[in-house]
Amino acid sequence: MSSIAIPLRSLLQNPSTIKSKHHAKQLHAQVLKTEGSSSSLMATILSIYSHLGFLHESLIIFNTFTSLPTIIAWKSIIRCYTYHGLFKDSLTCFSNMRASGKHPDHNVFPSVLKSCTGLMDFKLGESVHGCIIRLGVDADLYTGNALMNMYCKFQSMDEGFDSQRFGSGNVDLVYEKIPERKFERSLDSEMDVEKGPHPRSLKVLGKNENQLLVIGGVTPRRRKDMVYIESVKKVFDMMPCKDIVSWNTVIAGYVHNGMCEEALRTVREIGKANVMPDSFTLSSVLPIFAEYVDISRGKEIHGYTLRHGFDSDDFIASSLIDMYAKCTRVDDSLRIFHLLPQLDVISWNSIIAGCVQNGLFDEGLKLFRQMLTAKVKPSNLTFSSIMPACAHLTTLHLGKQLHGYITQNGFDKNVFIASALVDMYAKCGNIRIARSIFDKMVSPDMVSWTAMIMGYALHGHANEALLLFHKMKMENVRPNYVAFVAALTACSHGGLLDEARMLFNCMIEDYGISPGLEHYAAVADLLGRAGKLEEAYEFISKMHIRPTGSVWATLLSSCRVHKNIELAEKVGEKVFQIDPENIGAYILMSNIYSSAGRWKEAAKMRVAMKGRGMTKKPACTWIEVKNKIHAFVAGDRSHPYYDRINEALKVMMEQMERKGYVLNTDDVLHDVEVEQKRSLLCSHSERLAIAFGIISTPSGTTIRVTKNLRISPFQGWEVFLWRLLVKVVQVPAYYSKPRNTNTHTNKGVHTGKESQCKSLSPTDAALFLLNQMQLGAYS
DNA sequence: TTAGGGTTAG
C-alpha cells in the first residue's frame, strides 16, 4: 500500500511506475473518486492498462468515452489490440482514428505495421509506408525498424511460395501500387471491405505463377517481380540513426533469404558503426554456419557467446545445438542442451531433430519421452523430427501411436508431418496406409511424392513407383536428386533396366542434375543383374565421380549370381584397393569361391577377414508381437519360447514337404553335408522370427518381420505361409543397427489401465501412450 | 520494433 503515499499527480505523470493490474485498478479507482473522469485523465489510465496489456480494462474505458477519444486513447487501444494479436481490430481503429481527423504520430506506426505484418497484408503495409513518408515520420527509429521487419516477413512469405504448390483461392486481384494521392481513400475503403458483407480474410494459400491465391476475400497480389528484401535494404540505408535492432532486423532478413554473404558483410559493419552485437545478432548468424557446415566459424561464435555471458540464452543455445548437429557434432549439441537452465519446446525440438538427423534414433526417442515427462507440449515440428526415428527403427507400433496423437491434435494437415507419416508407414511395411495418407494430402510436395515413390520401390512395386513418378511430373512438381534416387531404386528392385537408363539420362539432360553415387549404383546394379557384367564394369569405370567400394561391391554380387569368377576377382581387387575394410566384399568373394567348390580360396578370404579383425555382422530378424520387439539371429536359442518355435518349425516343414516343397540347399554356402545345411536353413533368423509370429498371433494376422540386412525374397516358404492364411510382410531396415538379441526378455511392461487415457490432457495422454511403448527395449 | 527448430536418400 506504499503507492497511496505517493501523490496521485506524480503517479499519473510517471505511469511506467505502475507494474501490476491491482496497482492500476487502485489508481483508476482513486482517480475516479478524487479527480473525476475527464477524457484526458481517462486516456492516461487507458494508456496504463494498455501498456500492461489489459485489453478488457482498456476497452471498458475506451468504449465509455462520450467525446471523441484523444490521440493518446487511440494509440493505446491500437497498441493493445496489436499486442493481443487482434490485428484487424487494430487496423480498424487506426482507420477510425484517421476518419475522426486525428493525425497519427510516430509512435502509433510500429503497432500498425506489426498488424499489417501479422495479416501479411502486402498492399496495406505498403500504403501505410506511403502514409509514413507523407507525414514525415520515416526518420523515426522504431517506425523504421518496424518497416524493415514487415518487409522481411513479406519476403519470407514470398520465398515460401516457390517451393510449394497450392490450390486456388476464390478471389484474387491484380495488385498495382496505389499512387500516394489515392492513399487515404484506399486505406479507408480497405476498412469498408473489412466491415462489409465480405469480411476480409487474409488466409493466403499460395502462389501460382504470378498470382497470389487467397481464401475468403479481396486480397492483393504482390506486384510482379517485387523483391521485398530490396525495400528492407532501402529503408535501412535511409534510416538516419540505427540501433542494434535495426542491424539485427536487416541481418535476419538476409539470412532468411539465403543471402548469407550479405548477412556476414553486414555483421562486419556493425563493429564500424560502434554498436555491440547482442544475442539476437548471434542467433541470426549461427544458422549461416550451420548451412555452410562451417564448424570453425561456428565455434568462434560459440566462444563469443561464452565470453559475453550469453550462454544461458535459449535462442542462442538452440541455434548452437542446431549448428553443431548440422556439422555432425551432435555430442556438442547434447552437451549444450544438458547445460541449459530452462528448456522450451524449441530447445527440445532442436536436440531431437539433431539426434535423429545424425542417426541417433534411440536417443531422439528417449529425449522425446523426456520432453513429454517435462510437460512440454510437442509442436508439429517435434513430430516431423521424431517420425523418421520410427521409420528407421521400423517400429510400427510406436509410429502408430504417434500417428494417433498427431491426428487427435490436428497436426496431420501439415505437409512435413504427412510426408514423414507416409515414409514411416512405408518403411514399417504398411504401404497401404502410407498410400491412403498420401492420397488424403491436399497438396503433396516433392518430398511427399518422393517418400511415396521410395515406399513403393522398397516394397518392390516398381511399376506403381514409376507411375507415381510420372504423375508427379504431370502435376508440375519438379523432381530433385532424391526423387531420382527413389525412381531409380524402383527400377533397380524391379529389374527395369531400360526405364532406369531413360531416367538416368533424363535426369542429366532435362533436369540438369549431376548423378551421384546412388544413381550410378542403381544403374550399375541393374546392368549387373541383367547379366551385362562387362557393360556394368565399363559404366562404373567411366563415372565422373570416384566410385566407392560399395558401388564395385554391387557388381561383385552380380558376378556371384552370374558365376563370373574372372571378373569377380578383377572387381574384388578394386574394392580391396578403395575400401580395404569392406566386409561385404570379403564375404562375397568367399561365397563366390565356395559355390565354385574352391573351398581353399574361400577359406583364405575368411582368414584374411579375421586377420584384419573384421567379423561378419550377423543377420538379425525382428518381429513385433503385442508391442514388444523380439529379435532373432541364426541359431539363437535364448528365446524363452525357443523349444516351441523349433517344434512349430518342424511341423510346418513336414507339412510343407508333404505338399511338395523342396528345401533349396544350394544357397547355403558352407562346406557342410546336406543334412547340416538343412538344419542351418531351419535355424535361419527369418524363419525363427516367422515361426514365432505364427505361434503367437491368431490365424490370418499379418506377420511383419524386419531384417537388418538386405532381404532375399521368400520362395517355397512364402507360398506355404500364404496357404496358412498368414500374410508375411518383409521390411528391410536400412541404416538401423541390429537389435540386441536380449530384447525379448520381459522389460518394463506397462500395466496401466487404458481407460485412464480419456480423462487426460493431450500431453498426458501422449505420455501415457509412450509409457507403454517400452522404449527400454531399444536402449 | 529484432532472433532459434522440421519431412524424402539402394
Side-chain angles (χ1 to χ4, degrees):
Chain A
M1 298 298 140
S2 60
S3 60
I4 304 290
I6 303 170
L8 206 54
R9 284 281 157 204
S10 150
L11 261 180
L12 290 171
Q13 275 155 17
N14 299 293
S16 59
T17 54
I18 314 284
K19 298 281 186 217
S20 71
K21 191 176 188 175
H22 175 74
H23 200 166
K25 286 204 156 187
Q26 220 177 26
L27 180 74
H28 187 183
Q30 192 77 12
V31 167
L32 285 177
K33 213 166 130 188
T34 61
E35 311 281 327
S37 57
S38 74
S39 284
S40 71
L41 268 174
M42 284 304 104
T44 308
I45 300 289
L46 169 58
S47 82
I48 291 171
Y49 280 131
S50 153
H51 274 272
L52 291 168
F54 298 123
L55 181 61
H56 181 70
E57 285 74 13
S58 304
L59 278 172
I60 288 176
I61 299 182
F62 189 79
N63 291 330
T64 51
F65 279 127
T66 45
S67 55
L68 275 175
T70 61
I71 182 85
I72 293 185
W74 281 114
K75 282 190 314 200
S76 298
I77 208 74
I78 289 169
R79 195 193 157 281
C80 208
Y81 271 134
T82 305
Y83 176 80
H84 282 90
L86 299 165
F87 303 129
K88 283 193 209 168
D89 297 292
S90 160
L91 293 173
T92 309
C93 260
F94 179 64
S95 163
N96 290 340
M97 178 179 90
R98 302 285 292 125
S100 77
K102 290 278 188 291
H103 280 291
D105 63 8
H106 63 90
N107 49 25
V108 77
F109 284 110
S111 295
V112 174
L113 290 168
K114 192 176 183 176
S115 295
C116 296
T117 311
L119 293 173
M120 280 295 158
D121 192 330
F122 300 179
K123 181 182 173 187
L124 191 58
E126 289 189 3
S127 302
V128 172
H129 189 179
C131 180
I132 286 164
I133 294 170
R134 238 167 28 86
L135 291 171
V137 291
D138 52 331
D140 176 59
L141 175 66
Y142 280 58
T143 305
N145 288 345
L147 269 172
M148 286 196 294
N149 180 48
M150 179 182 78
Y151 286 127
C152 282
K153 297 285 153 61
F154 287 178
Q155 178 74 53
S156 16
M157 184 85 180
D158 246 16
E159 293 295 309
F161 295 159
D162 291 333
S163 58
Q164 289 177 32
R165 295 173 317 103
F166 296 88
S168 59
N170 47 8
V171 185
D172 66 282
L173 295 174
V174 180
Y175 169 55
E176 286 157 38
K177 189 160 183 162
I178 298 163
E180 268 172 28
R181 58 185 165 74
K182 279 172 69 187
F183 168 72
E184 295 290 340
R185 251 193 66 206
S186 79
L187 185 59
D188 287 343
S189 67
E190 205 56 56
M191 292 306 158
D192 289 341
V193 174
E194 187 79 53
K195 285 178 278 183
H198 304 293
R200 188 185 165 78
S201 160
L202 291 170
K203 191 162 173 49
V204 179
L205 291 176
K207 190 186 74 171
N208 182 2
E209 290 284 314
N210 51 5
Q211 295 175 307
L212 188 70
L213 303 175
V214 289
I215 207 157
V218 187
T219 290
R221 185 195 328 155
R222 75 183 170 107
R223 236 174 35 250
K224 230 180 169 179
D225 306 323
M226 182 63 194
V227 183
Y228 285 108
I229 194 75
E230 289 302 317
S231 304
V232 179
K233 229 171 136 180
K234 237 180 248 171
V235 173
F236 183 76
D237 290 338
M238 301 274 276
M239 284 172 75
C241 54
K242 307 173 174 83
D243 66 354
I244 187 64
V245 175
S246 327
W247 289 95
N248 289 342
T249 308
V250 75
I251 290 166
Y254 286 141
V255 174
H256 280 291
N257 290 289
M259 300 159 75
C260 295
E261 288 309 322
E262 282 287 286
L264 290 175
R265 188 184 54 73
T266 314
V267 172
R268 283 192 289 270
E269 280 173 21
I270 291 185
K272 288 181 223 155
N274 243 343
V275 181
M276 279 293 280
D278 65 359
S279 63
F280 285 76
T281 327
L282 300 172
S283 66
S284 296
V285 170
L286 279 167
I288 301 177
F289 302 131
E291 163 105 24
Y292 284 174
V293 195
D294 186 342
I295 187 81
S296 58
R297 282 202 281 179
K299 270 175 115 171
E300 268 177 49
I301 303 285
H302 190 185
Y304 186 94
T305 66
L306 295 174
R307 285 195 299 280
H308 291 78
F310 293 125
D311 43 326
S312 59
D313 183 291
D314 46 351
F315 275 83
I316 293 184
S318 57
S319 296
L320 279 171
I321 289 169
D322 184 54
M323 188 272 296
Y324 278 118
K326 296 236 164 76
C327 297
T328 68
R329 299 275 290 263
V330 70
D331 286 347
D332 290 311
S333 303
L334 283 162
R335 213 163 296 137
I336 293 165
F337 178 79
H338 289 303
L339 284 172
L340 275 175
Q342 76 268 349
L343 300 162
D344 68 1
V345 61
I346 296 177
S347 332
W348 283 105
N349 286 351
S350 308
I351 193 66
I352 290 170
C355 286
V356 175
Q357 285 160 2
N358 283 282
L360 303 179
F361 306 122
D362 293 321
E363 184 72 24
L365 286 167
K366 201 175 97 193
L367 284 161
F368 177 58
R369 200 168 52 154
Q370 285 173 5
M371 174 184 182
L372 295 172
T373 311
K375 304 259 179 228
V376 177
K377 198 172 157 48
S379 69
N380 50 10
L381 270 91
T382 322
F383 291 109
S384 45
S385 305
I386 199 68
M387 198 54 74
C390 301
H392 285 287
L393 293 173
T394 59
T395 51
L396 185 61
H397 71 279
L398 208 144
K400 272 186 175 168
Q401 291 182 25
L402 286 172
H403 186 191
Y405 183 86
I406 286 164
T407 315
Q408 263 175 24
N409 291 277
F411 287 133
D412 51 344
K413 301 282 173 289
N414 180 296
V415 68
F416 285 80
I417 293 182
S419 304
L421 278 170
V422 167
D423 178 55
M424 185 277 294
Y425 276 109
K427 287 225 175 72
C428 291
N430 211 326
I431 196 80
R432 274 204 204 149
I433 297 188
R435 182 61 193 255
S436 77
I437 292 169
F438 177 79
D439 285 341
K440 279 187 198 123
M441 290 178 75
V442 181
S443 49
D445 66 4
M446 191 261 299
V447 174
S448 329
W449 286 92
T450 305
M452 194 64 240
I453 293 165
M454 186 56 95
Y456 279 127
L458 295 180
H459 283 254
H461 304 319
N463 290 323
E464 198 68 37
L466 292 183
L467 205 73
L468 268 190
F469 186 78
H470 289 119
K471 218 170 149 190
M472 171 177 83
K473 289 201 284 187
M474 299 278 279
E475 307 244 336
N476 287 324
V477 178
R478 196 183 161 85
N480 73 345
Y481 185 100
V482 187
F484 276 101
V485 171
L488 285 169
T489 303
C491 296
S492 156
H493 285 210
L496 307 172
L497 178 58
D498 294 335
E499 282 82 350
R501 278 173 161 155
M502 247 151 59
L503 279 168
F504 190 82
N505 293 331
C506 158
M507 174 177 81
I508 301 166
E509 283 153 24
D510 301 347
Y511 290 89
I513 299 168
S514 80
L517 278 174
E518 299 97 325
H519 307 112
Y520 280 120
V523 177
D525 180 46
L526 272 165
L527 286 168
R529 282 208 266 168
K532 301 176 189 287
L533 298 177
E534 292 298 334
E535 197 181 332
Y537 187 88
E538 281 292 296
F539 182 77
I540 298 174
S541 305
K542 284 183 181 159
M543 278 168 61
H544 84 285
I545 44 176
R546 193 165 177 260
T548 55
S550 57
V551 174
W552 284 114
T554 311
L555 180 55
L556 198 56
S557 109
S558 297
C559 291
R560 187 200 132 185
V561 173
H562 295 280
K563 304 199 192 304
N564 185 333
I565 298 191
E566 289 93 297
L567 190 63
E569 286 180 324
K570 204 163 135 193
V571 173
E573 267 314 301
K574 293 263 185 199
V575 185
F576 297 138
Q577 214 173 36
I578 298 168
D579 183 8
E581 301 297 305
N582 192 315
I583 308 171
Y586 285 93
I587 296 168
L588 272 169
M589 284 310 292
S590 160
N591 288 349
I592 288 166
Y593 287 131
S594 302
S595 52
R598 289 159 68 170
W599 306 112
K600 268 189 194 161
E601 280 144 306
K604 231 166 103 184
M605 280 293 145
R606 303 262 166 190
V607 170
M609 257 174 83
K610 275 200 184 130
R612 289 183 165 271
M614 295 189 286
T615 44
K616 189 183 167 188
K617 194 161 74 175
C620 173
T621 303
W622 57 94
I623 177 169
E624 275 185 45
V625 174
K626 296 191 185 96
N627 292 352
K628 274 181 64 62
I629 305 277
H630 299 254
F632 297 87
V633 290
D636 174 29
R637 288 161 188 261
S638 68
H639 194 278
Y641 288 177
Y642 180 76
D643 291 337
R644 283 158 71 176
I645 292 167
N646 225 6
E647 195 59 35
L649 268 171
K650 260 189 207 154
V651 173
M652 280 187 267
M653 194 57 80
E654 273 170 32
Q655 284 181 311
M656 282 165 74
E657 283 176 338
R658 231 179 291 139
K659 299 208 186 231
Y661 173 61
V662 182
L663 191 65
N664 180 5
T665 51
D666 287 356
D667 278 349
V668 181
L669 297 163
H670 298 276
D671 183 16
V672 290
E673 292 307 311
V674 174
E675 200 43 43
Q676 220 178 329
K677 281 185 180 180
R678 191 188 156 92
S679 128
L680 270 169
L681 271 180
C682 285
S683 63
H684 195 271
S685 69
E686 240 159 86
R687 295 179 190 230
L688 290 173
I690 294 167
F692 174 69
I694 291 170
I695 61 172
S696 51
T697 53
S699 174
T701 309
T702 298
I703 291 182
R704 194 168 275 112
V705 293
T706 310
K707 282 199 71 170
N708 60 331
L709 303 176
R710 187 179 177 132
I711 284 174
S712 49
F714 291 121
Q715 290 165 3
W717 188 246
E718 178 190 38
V719 175
F720 176 70
L721 290 168
W722 273 103
R723 286 200 193 130
L724 275 178
L725 292 177
V726 179
K727 188 178 169 196
V728 179
V729 181
Q730 296 170 298
V731 189
Y734 298 120
Y735 306 115
S736 71
K737 50 191 174 192
R739 296 298 193 283
N740 182 327
T741 47
N742 289 330
T743 50
H744 48 67
T745 51
N746 206 1
K747 274 189 204 169
V749 178
H750 187 85
T751 52
K753 289 174 197 145
E754 306 241 338
S755 58
Q756 280 177 355
C757 269
K758 284 176 190 159
S759 57
L760 298 174
S761 72
T763 311
D764 288 336
L767 185 59
F768 175 77
L769 288 171
L770 277 160
N771 275 332
Q772 298 182 72
M773 288 185 188
Q774 302 156 24
L775 284 172
Y778 315 119
S779 50

